[in-house]
Amino acid sequence: MVQINVSQHLKAPIGSIRNYRVSEAVDIADAKYPVRGEIGLMRTNRSIMAKGTIRTEIEPTCSRCLSLFNCSLTLNIEEEYFPTTDVVTGTSLSLPDEPGCFTIDENNILDLTEAIREYALLATPMKPLCHQNCIGLCPTCGGNLNQVLCNCPTKPADLRWAKLSKFVLADSKASVNE
């Protein structure tokens, strides 16, 4: 968890900035991944603005061949965190009418974990590929065509598509040779 005590920063003048190094493990898509970077916290008239760059490397599954691979992500985080209690008096503060806004808890702890997780999920490709020319799996035997060429018999082609099939075969042979 990436948590920062901001009690003194909430008492600081508006516009004051404090920088923090982040080096923690964060749960992203059901696995913990190390995140590293810098976050600047700026005191505003009603909140603390968190802005910085975080880097991580996740291990998604290729959408074509189903192999795990490393994928580097750079997250440019910019979020506003609202205090739930007044740091001087301890009274409860009203939150803005923004659904899903980030808050600073009653102990003045600003938790970046959820923001990092959300930004990482948004930065993850929808259809991740281990490499651009990934061939995928054989539809007959399920073998990874990036690693082995299988000897599965091809299905007889529909004669109506015979003229177009030579283009598909030429393209797949070119991908294998690369």
Side-chain angles (χ1 to χ4, degrees), residues 4 18 26 35 63 81 98 105 110 122 136 141 143 145 153 173:
I4 301 168
R18 294 190 181 156
V26 174
V35 296
S63 62
Y81 284 79
E98 299 173 22
D105 71 11
L110 185 147
L122 287 172
C141 70
L145 297 175
K173 287 180 184 177

Side-chain angles (χ1 to χ4, degrees), residues 18-175:
R18 294 190 181 156
N19 294 314
Y20 296 90
R21 286 207 175 276
V22 174
S23 181
E24 302 284 334
V26 174
D27 188 15
I28 302 168
D30 300 327
K32 286 203 178 278
Y33 296 103
V35 296
R36 289 182 175 37
E38 265 194 39
I39 293 287
L41 301 181
M42 182 177 73
R43 177 74 168 105
T44 68
N45 63 337
R46 64 183 192 152
S47 64
I48 290 186
M49 178 64 76
K51 187 175 182 178
T53 302
I54 303 289
R55 289 176 179 73
T56 188
E57 192 168 284
I58 62 171
E59 196 174 42
T61 302
C62 178
S63 62
R64 288 185 189 161
C65 69
L66 305 180
S67 298
L68 293 174
F69 69 98
N70 291 331
C71 178
S72 297
L73 300 178
T74 300
L75 315 174
N76 294 314
I77 294 177
E78 187 171 342
E79 289 295 335
E80 192 171 17
Y81 284 79
F82 297 95
T84 56
T85 57
D86 186 282
V87 71
V88 177
T89 63
T91 59
S92 293
L93 297 174
S94 61
L95 294 174
D97 291 333
E98 299 173 22
C101 69
F102 291 106
T103 60
I104 301 167
D105 71 11
E106 63 277 351
N107 297 318
N108 301 311
I109 302 295
L110 185 147
D111 191 350
L112 292 166
T113 307
E114 182 59 21
I116 292 171
R117 188 188 75 76
E118 288 178 13
Y119 275 75
L121 290 175
L122 287 172
T124 302
M126 288 180 76
K127 291 196 173 211
L129 295 177
C130 58
H131 57 85
Q132 196 62 28
N133 296 325
C134 178
I135 301 170
L137 302 175
C138 172
T140 305
C141 70
N144 186 341
L145 297 175
N146 296 310
Q147 299 170 352
V148 294
L149 289 174
C150 64
N151 294 322
C152 294
T154 58
K155 292 182 184 176
D158 186 338
L159 293 177
R160 294 174 290 181
W161 297 101
K163 298 260 186 202
L164 293 176
S165 66
K166 65 182 178 182
F167 295 114
V168 172
L169 291 173
D171 187 43
S172 66
K173 287 180 184 177
S175 296

